[in-house]
Amino acid sequence: MGIVGGVALLLWGARMVRTGMMRAFGASLRVAIGNWTSNRVKAALVGTLTAATVQSSTATALIVCSFVAHGTLASLPALAVMLGADLGAAIGAQIFASGVARLWPVLALAGFLMHSLFDGPTARLRHLGRVIMGLAILLLALRMIGGAAGELGGSRVLSEVLQAVAGEPLLAIVIGALLTWLVYSSLAMILVVATLAASGLLPPEALFPIVLGVNLGAALPAITATLGEPIGARRIPVCNLVFRLLGVLIVLPLLDRIAPHLSALDSDPTRLIVHFHVAFNLALCIGFLPFIGPVGRLVEALMPDPADLAGQEHGPRHLDDSLLDTPTVAIAMAARETLRIGDIVETMLAKSLTVLEQNDDHLRHEVEQADDDVDQLHEAVKLYLTRLSRGELDEDDSKRAIDIIAFTTNLEHVGDIVDKNLMELAAKKIRKQLQFSKEGLADLKAMHARLMETVRLSLTVFINQELETATELLARKEQFREMELRDTERHLARLRSGQAASIETSALHLDIVRDFKRINSHLTSVAYPILDRAGALTATRLRPVSNLMSGRRKDDRPDSGEAHALS
């Protein structure tokens, strides 16, 4: 239980280091990966530095795969980054095994103070405090595992089990790979194996096959984490697995020759395990860097592009789970996906007028199908930001995430109104072969044109978050309300004059006007958070009732004109 508890602390500490580094410097690391990959050597160096910083080759792999999926990084430099990332993660293990575990109390105190005292403009220092606390937990876990493993040194049963595994190198490789895949951390597994070597249960040379298995299993988490990505992105971790598999197949028969040379370099069992781990990854990086092209083409042949890409247009394009450790970037990607929803809603609204005017039943079905895409993207954005909010967000990021969810919800409501209401009215109009009067259609077109302007302005307000534009958008709500009243009055005048077309389509016309007003209200709501934060909103838009009733006896009743104005 001491070892199991220590491993649990080890995994949690590694997670704190990774998430803290990504939140503090994630955006900078992404820029570095995007900009410094012009050749293979540079790309490998960037991968090494990134993985050594975040203490995770898997996190680096997810960043790289997201770039490949979005077309901002080619496959060959991405593969070079991955080779460097494997080496960077191994260097991290070398640092942790260097005997610094006794520093954990100092790091724990420093990390706690930084995480507790800094916030707001100094949020990066707060995240660095999280990193330091994670390092302290890692070092404490190593001491726990070392103490527990030392107590097990006299266990005859455990010694026999480990000797049996060590006597079957292939079994040892499989066990190492599966355990690494299970715990999602090669760093944790290497440190555990190094601690077992220090306990004296087995000589370090007997544990080398398990180290090979750990390196093989370290490629598996990135493969499972990218199963939902486009095929180009999925090839990158598969290529990395091929590199590691080839490396294991080459090194395994040479273990008996390699072990004496490594033992001559360092007699400490812990450091010997880590030296072998670093040497293996250094050999992979140097040996396979010239061959990333052939390996990439081999994997491309095994994983060809699907013949039909039509279905890939549906679903989210920008919601990358690897960005969740970098809240600012993740929120920006959620905003980009929200703009996609806005574009679809704008197209639906534009087509709806054509359907209503021309009785186009085929186009009506297209609009109804588009609402399914809106529903899917709305759900994806909502769940994505919900997962993001489970981490620590500063006040600004939290407010922005809430605003995005609110706006996507309003866009989804607009899509539903177009689909469930306007298209249902269009279906009734098509079924009964009705036509609007010339004047009625002109009024609807004018309101629709105004509504399309509001859609575009609402998306602008959503992105730029400017007070002036938000004020203009909210003013349009009152203007649209006045437009609705004028349209209704003109429609009633046509009914009084006895126009047959207006009488036949009266219910349709008034329902469409009502739905246009509802859509306008949903769209203009994006201005409220901006105006509220600026202190530009009052508690109520009503004047005091005493002012309305001044000069009027309590038993007075408003005449019909006043009643209409009040309504």
Side-chain angles (χ1 to χ4, degrees):
M1 287 306 299
I3 290 178
V4 171
V7 171
L9 273 182
L10 200 65
L11 294 174
W12 186 251
R15 175 181 172 81
M16 289 186 68
V17 172
R18 183 177 69 252
T19 56
M21 288 302 300
M22 291 301 294
R23 290 173 184 175
F25 302 107
S28 301
L29 292 173
R30 292 175 184 282
V31 171
I33 291 176
N35 294 340
W36 297 93
T37 53
S38 55
N39 62 60
R40 299 180 185 187
V41 177
K42 270 186 172 182
L45 182 59
V46 167
T48 301
L49 294 175
T50 303
T53 301
V54 302
Q55 286 303 300
S56 174
S57 59
T58 301
T60 308
L62 295 179
I63 295 174
V64 169
C65 289
S66 70
F67 282 160
V68 173
H70 297 144
T72 56
L73 186 64
S75 296
L76 292 186
L79 293 177
V81 172
M82 287 307 306
L83 286 173
D86 297 336
L87 177 59
I91 292 174
Q94 182 78 274
I95 295 172
F96 282 108
S98 60
V100 296
R102 56 182 170 272
L103 296 177
W104 78 265
V106 177
L107 294 178
L109 178 61
F112 172 76
L113 292 175
M114 289 181 67
H115 193 269
S116 301
L117 298 178
F118 296 107
D119 204 353
T122 57
R124 179 170 287 186
L125 292 176
R126 176 182 173 88
H127 296 318
L128 283 178
R130 181 186 182 90
V131 172
I132 295 173
M133 179 63 77
L135 293 174
I137 293 175
L138 275 170
L139 298 177
L140 174 61
L142 289 178
R143 291 178 67 90
M144 286 181 60
I145 294 172
E151 293 178 9
L152 287 174
S155 171
R156 184 169 59 85
V157 174
L158 181 61
S159 177
E160 290 177 355
V161 170
L162 290 177
Q163 288 176 3
V165 171
E168 298 289 340
L170 292 179
L171 177 61
I173 290 173
V174 171
I175 290 176
L178 291 178
L179 288 176
T180 305
W181 189 13
L182 179 66
V183 302
Y184 252 59
S185 175
S186 61
L187 171 66
M189 281 304 303
I190 286 297
L191 295 178
V192 168
V193 173
T195 305
L196 289 175
S199 70
L201 291 173
L202 283 176
E205 296 84 353
L207 295 172
F208 284 171
I210 297 181
V211 175
L212 293 179
V214 170
N215 279 277
L216 190 61
L220 299 177
I223 292 177
T224 55
T226 57
L227 290 177
E229 296 290 335
I231 189 68
R234 294 204 305 270
R235 292 190 189 117
I236 303 303
V238 172
C239 284
N240 190 41
L241 177 63
V242 171
F243 289 139
R244 290 173 180 252
L245 180 60
L246 292 175
V248 169
L249 294 177
I250 293 171
V251 171
L252 184 60
L254 303 176
L255 279 180
D256 292 338
R257 299 181 183 179
I258 295 173
H261 296 289
L262 285 175
S263 299
L265 293 176
D266 199 326
S267 59
D268 183 85
T270 300
R271 291 198 296 269
L272 192 56
I273 291 293
V274 180
H275 290 337
F276 176 66
H277 178 54
V278 174
F280 177 78
N281 284 280
L282 180 62
L284 284 185
C285 186
I286 296 174
F288 285 113
L289 201 58
F291 301 104
I292 56 178
V295 173
R297 287 191 292 272
L298 171 64
V299 173
E300 186 175 351
L302 296 174
M303 301 173 64
D305 292 320
D308 181 16
L309 297 177
Q312 294 186 9
E313 291 302 313
H314 302 285
R317 296 177 186 170
H318 307 294
L319 303 183
D320 187 347
D321 285 350
S322 69
L323 299 170
L324 292 175
D325 287 333
T326 316
T328 302
V329 182
I331 288 173
M333 292 298 103
R336 288 183 65 185
E337 202 66 55
T338 302
L339 287 180
R340 279 191 67 206
I341 301 175
D343 290 340
I344 298 173
V345 168
E346 182 181 355
T347 303
M348 290 174 63
L349 196 57
K351 290 179 178 179
S352 66
L353 182 66
T354 304
V355 175
L356 290 166
E357 180 183 4
Q358 301 178 5
N359 287 353
D360 190 334
D361 200 45
H362 176 73
L363 189 60
R364 182 179 69 85
H365 287 296
E366 284 187 15
V367 173
E368 291 176 341
Q369 290 172 358
D371 185 55
D372 295 336
D373 294 337
V374 171
D375 292 340
Q376 180 183 1
L377 293 178
H378 164 251
E379 188 70 15
V381 171
K382 182 177 66 175
L383 294 178
Y384 184 76
L385 290 176
T386 300
R387 291 199 300 274
L388 177 66
S389 65
R390 291 172 185 162
E392 293 182 6
L393 298 181
D394 60 34
E395 186 177 356
D396 290 339
D397 286 342
S398 180
K399 287 180 178 178
R400 183 57 174 158
I402 293 171
D403 290 348
I404 292 173
I405 292 176
F407 188 53
T408 56
T409 301
N410 279 299
L411 289 175
E412 192 267 340
H413 288 336
V414 171
D416 284 344
I417 293 171
V418 174
D419 176 27
K420 307 296 191 302
N421 294 65
L422 291 179
M423 292 303 97
E424 286 295 325
L425 296 173
K428 182 186 296 185
K429 182 173 178 287
I430 293 170
R431 187 168 60 252
K432 295 184 177 181
Q433 289 299 301
L434 301 175
Q435 293 295 334
F436 294 116
S437 67
K438 183 178 179 180
E439 297 85 353
L441 182 59
D443 286 345
L444 290 178
K445 283 185 174 181
M447 292 188 71
H448 183 271
R450 186 76 172 181
L451 203 55
M452 294 302 296
E453 293 174 3
T454 302
V455 174
R456 301 182 188 106
L457 186 59
S458 69
L459 293 175
T460 302
V461 171
F462 172 71
I463 290 300
N464 65 26
Q465 298 284 292
E466 292 179 354
L467 178 61
E468 183 180 354
T469 318
T471 304
E472 179 186 350
L473 178 63
L474 193 59
R476 284 175 167 265
K477 183 175 183 180
E478 186 63 26
Q479 294 165 5
F480 198 88
R481 180 174 176 273
E482 294 172 357
M483 194 175 188
E484 176 223 358
L485 290 174
R486 289 195 301 270
D487 177 274
T488 303
E489 289 173 355
R490 283 196 294 269
H491 179 71
L492 294 176
R494 290 192 295 272
L495 291 181
R496 286 193 294 268
S497 67
Q499 286 193 28
S502 294
I503 295 173
E504 288 180 342
T505 60
S506 179
L508 292 176
H509 186 104
L510 294 175
D511 284 346
I512 291 170
V513 170
R514 177 205 60 192
D515 290 334
F516 280 177
K517 181 183 176 183
R518 291 173 59 205
I519 290 172
N520 187 74
S521 296
H522 283 302
L523 293 172
T524 55
S525 64
V526 71
Y528 285 110
I530 302 169
L531 296 170
D532 185 44
R533 285 194 284 270
L537 294 178
T538 58
T540 176
R541 60 185 291 185
L542 293 175
R543 288 176 296 182
V545 175
S546 58
N547 292 345
L548 292 176
M549 302 300 293
S550 62
R552 188 192 306 272
R553 296 192 309 273
K554 289 184 178 181
D555 58 343
D556 282 348
R557 296 292 183 268
D559 59 26
S560 59
E562 290 175 321
H564 177 73
L566 287 173
S567 68

